[in-house]
DNA sequence: CTGAAAGCGCTAACAC
DNA sequence: GTGTTAGCGCTTTCAG
């Protein structure tokens, strides 16, 4: 159907080999024939078949990216970081949504492997085994996780979740809140776990007791935040402040509070993580721990590409003593209205 | 590196051909050898190389999707619709972000063609020529646009923008507003154009004069909405209501109004298009014209796949008299707080 | 019911 | 400088 290298070769009166070289601007072919070939190729509207190329080269110049949900602005921002650097290095990206579903995740990974991706960036859903990741390791496919994992020797790029949660909690405590709840997202494995740890450590460091009845684990959507906070806010001893695992969950809390006639931040402080764009323009602009989303993506992509290309060097068969790369990035507290900090300042 | 069909064949003691057939469960191969082959394949963890397959079959089972910005929840919802149906029919999706940039768009399309996508779904950015779309037509690549275009015989799936804008405007007029502004997005070609037409027609039908100084064209981001409305709202005769091309622009308006101390909806009504998830939880929950985002994606994908597969039938060389498909879907008005409808009701 | 051989489009040794 | 040849992994006639 399409025009192939053969037709270009024939019309230009050379061999396919020469065309191939000429179009990649090899010094091995004379300038004059090169320009002729380029002209013919353009004339015919020739577009090299990436499939054939990949098959021959044993390299697709494609990396796979597997995320829970690209429609979540948090992940789409990460994706931007990834695309920025992959495209700079001449790689393409195949995206997969797992919808926080373990089976879908495994399927996606397998599908991508079948398409001969050169490497993979993955934000794995909580799982007991992480089997397919072990499989990746065994098969020597370079990959980078966006989460810390209970699997040995996995490279990852992530935020310092424990520390960030610690600071966020401390911020609330410093504003005078004592009954502080936490709404987490079970699907997010260690990320949630680490934040919970930071939250707990901050409470204890500041002489407050950790009360596990004030912790509720839920899903990832706004509705989940709504439901979980409804649970928390309709009790006798309801929290005076709530930390949400994400801004999206926090927005769900805002919705619930509104419905219950609870004023934020006057009667309830709400804070989240992520700092997605909409956090500035939601019902009550959110105080949030901003994650370096773009950088997470960019660094992960950079690391992955480095791994891919160094593997191609070491192709001799010797397995290089692989070092494990762990990149942990800092977060930044963004103070807006929902935590009540501005209220306190006014009062004084 | 990976395990190939040859190794499976060798170990199972058959030819590659038989393996190929067996794994696709052809009746041409005996049950017993079939099970043996399947066992070996599983044992070796064999995964067919999609590249080889595509090359041989002249069909990649991949469709390209080119959108301005996947981090925009509007487009990510469309993407969900697309993925739902493509995966049902065994197609994969390659996504490209054009960032509303014409050159990037053209490049993406070419890159995808090089990867031998079987078809393309595209939401084209405003352009004078739409050259590469004509190219697609010429080369016979099936594609579906998500916008009406000034190019002949292009299949598309879209919302009834003119009608929807008409209704939305009428809604505002029915609430008693007279000075109604419009903030548009130039990048969106006919979509913006059609909505402007509907807006205008509604004004005139209701006996109001169309005042072009109340129309300002801008970009697609929240900041653009902010800036454009700042312009509109700091004039002597500022509008009493504003229609934004999208909810994201509308959120920018809310931000500007807040900064200016203008109360929404008491002093300014704001409405948008799209109904993204965050529209319910933004500063003032938005009244908006909900687009059937998911359906747009799903229908586009369905149409495209039909085109792809019927083209494969007609492969004999005869060009079937192609009919042009134009699918126009209805929108739905979602009334929340930002238009002030509830205020009016309370007053009565 | 199974195998041999050719070919999809491209690249890379190795000749000339 | 350029061409020949083989091969990447898979499918598919066409024979057996």
């Amino acid at each position: 159907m399409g025009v192939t290298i053969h037709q270009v070769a024939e019309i230009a009166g050379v061999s396919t080999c020469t065309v191939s070289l000429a179009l990649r601007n090899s010094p091995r072919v004379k300038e004059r024939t090169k320009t002729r070939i380029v002209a013919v190729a353009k004339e015919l509207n020739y577009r090299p078949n990436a499939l054939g190329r990949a098959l021959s080269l044993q390299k697709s110049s494609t990396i796979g990216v597997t995320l829970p949900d690209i429609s979540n602005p948090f992940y789409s921002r990460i994706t931007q970081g990834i695309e920025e650097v992959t495209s700079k290095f001449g790689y393409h990206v195949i995206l997969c949504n797992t919808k926080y579903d373990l089976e879908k995740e495994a399927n996606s990974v397998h599908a991508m492997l079948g398409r001969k991706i050169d490497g993979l960036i993955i934000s794995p859903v909580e799982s007991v085994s992480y089997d397919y990741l072990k499989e990746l390791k065994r098969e020597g496919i370079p990959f980078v996780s966006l989460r810390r994992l209970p699997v040995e020797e996995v490279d990852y790029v992530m935020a310092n979740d424990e520390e960030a949660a610690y600071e966020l909690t401390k911020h609330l405590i410093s504003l005078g809140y004592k009954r502080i709840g936490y709404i987490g997202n079970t699907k997010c494995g260690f990320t949630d776990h680490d934040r919970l740890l930071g939250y707990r450590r901050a409470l204890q460091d500041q002489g407050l007791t950790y009360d596990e009845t004030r912790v509720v684990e839920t899903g990832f959507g706004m509705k989940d935040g709504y439901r979980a906070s409804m649970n928390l806010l309709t009790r006798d001893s309801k929290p005076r402040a709530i930390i949400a695992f994400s801004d999206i969950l926090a927005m769900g809390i805002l919705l619930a509070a509104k419905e219950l006639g609870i004023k934020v931040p006057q009667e309830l402080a709400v804070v989240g993580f992520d700092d997605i764009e909409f956090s500035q323009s939601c019902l009550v602009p959110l105080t949030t721990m901003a994650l370096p989303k773009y950088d997470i993506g960019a660094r992960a992509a950079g690391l992955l590409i480095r791994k891919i290309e160094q593997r191609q060097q070491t192709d001799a068969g010797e397995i290089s003593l692989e070092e494990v790369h762990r990149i942990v990035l800092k977060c930044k507290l963004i103070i807006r209205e929902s935590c009540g900090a501005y209220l306190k300042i006014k009062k004084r």
Side-chain angles (χ1 to χ4, degrees), chain A:
Chain A
M1 189 98 260
V3 21
T4 77
I5 200 171
H6 291 97
Q7 320 188 22
V8 179
E10 193 172 355
I11 297 190
V14 292
S15 78
T16 61
C17 164
T18 310
V19 174
S20 176
L21 292 169
L23 292 182
R24 278 170 300 150
N25 200 19
S26 156
R28 280 178 46 193
V29 36
K30 212 197 313 177
E31 272 311 321
R32 255 196 57 212
T33 59
K34 209 187 280 185
T35 54
R36 191 175 72 238
I37 290 172
V38 169
V40 172
K42 188 169 217 167
E43 171 66 25
L44 295 184
N45 211 346
Y46 168 68
R47 225 172 287 116
N49 182 329
L51 267 33
R53 181 157 213 271
L55 198 55
S56 167
L57 244 36
Q58 295 286 70
K59 155 148 188 159
S60 63
S61 293
T62 301
I63 73 161
V65 175
T66 304
L67 299 173
D69 179 16
I70 318 176
S71 64
N72 182 326
F74 173 72
Y75 289 112
S76 39
R77 184 69 185 148
I78 288 181
T79 308
Q80 286 177 13
I82 294 175
E83 285 195 326
E84 195 73 28
V85 344
T86 50
S87 72
K88 190 176 295 171
F89 287 90
Y91 285 78
H92 281 256
V93 167
I94 299 187
L95 269 176
C96 276
N97 262 314
T98 66
K99 302 190 174 171
Y100 294 95
D101 174 357
L102 203 59
E103 197 186 327
K104 265 205 153 69
E105 188 167 301
N107 288 342
S108 300
V109 170
H110 286 134
M112 287 173 152
L113 291 181
R115 321 191 111 225
K116 297 299 151 184
I117 50 170
D118 296 331
L120 180 68
I121 295 176
I122 183 166
S123 179
V125 170
E126 171 75 354
S127 151
V128 276
S129 63
Y130 296 100
D131 280 336
Y132 55 89
L133 289 184
K134 290 176 193 155
E135 205 178 312
L136 288 174
K137 268 218 102 58
R138 208 169 23 203
E139 299 193 19
I141 314 280
F143 72 97
V144 173
S145 168
L146 299 185
R147 249 187 255 295
R148 185 165 86 76
L149 292 176
V151 177
E152 291 299 305
E153 305 198 343
V154 166
D155 291 2
Y156 58 72
V157 177
M158 56 175 278
N160 58 347
D161 290 298
E162 201 272 351
E163 184 67 19
Y166 182 88
E167 267 187 52
L168 185 55
T169 311
K170 222 177 80 181
H171 171 67
L172 288 178
I173 297 172
S174 78
L175 292 174
Y177 304 120
K178 301 215 179 331
R179 293 198 314 281
I180 302 173
Y182 176 88
I183 294 183
N185 174 357
T186 30
K187 297 285 186 183
C188 286
F190 272 156
T191 312
D192 188 42
H193 174 259
D194 290 351
R195 289 181 188 174
L196 200 48
L197 281 183
Y199 156 78
R200 195 168 173 163
R201 183 163 66 86
L203 289 179
Q204 290 166 345
D205 275 9
Q206 307 291 316
L208 297 176
T209 56
Y210 168 76
D211 176 354
E212 78 177 351
T213 66
R214 281 205 269 267
V215 171
V216 18
E217 290 290 339
T218 182
F220 51 87
M222 213 183 280
K223 277 178 195 152
D224 297 309
Y226 172 88
R227 275 191 290 260
S229 56
M230 271 295 182
N231 169 345
L232 232 41
L233 294 174
T234 51
R235 297 181 188 171
D236 295 339
S237 156
K238 57 170 174 277
R240 181 62 186 80
I242 300 180
I243 298 175
F245 174 83
S246 70
D247 286 349
I248 291 188
L249 285 180
M251 290 180 199
I253 303 178
L254 296 180
L255 249 25
K258 185 177 181 187
E259 196 172 309
L260 295 172
I262 298 176
K263 281 192 184 141
V264 177
Q266 292 85 346
E267 303 167 61
L268 175 72
V270 176
V271 300
F273 281 84
D274 294 352
D275 191 35
I276 58 177
E277 193 189 10
F278 298 102
S279 304
Q280 65 176 304
S281 65
C282 60
L283 274 168
V284 183
L286 282 174
T287 288
T288 183
M289 187 53 80
L291 265 76
K293 302 168 286 294
Y294 183 91
D295 286 343
I296 289 176
R299 295 292 293 272
L303 175 54
L304 180 62
I305 291 174
R306 215 162 49 236
K307 290 179 70 171
I308 291 172
E309 309 208 324
Q310 90 181 18
R311 196 182 73 128
Q312 273 153 2
Q313 309 288 309
T314 331
D315 234 12
E318 311 284 332
I319 295 162
S320 70
L321 282 180
E322 307 183 12
E323 8 164 13
V324 183
H325 294 267
R326 297 181 174 160
I327 300 179
V328 178
L329 302 175
K330 289 222 177 77
C331 302
K332 186 169 173 230
L333 180 63
I334 308 282
I335 297 180
R336 297 205 186 90
E337 299 174 23
S338 68
C339 65
Y342 295 143
L343 271 182
K344 307 272 169 178
I345 292 171
K346 259 190 267 173
K347 267 191 199 162
R348 281 173 200 169

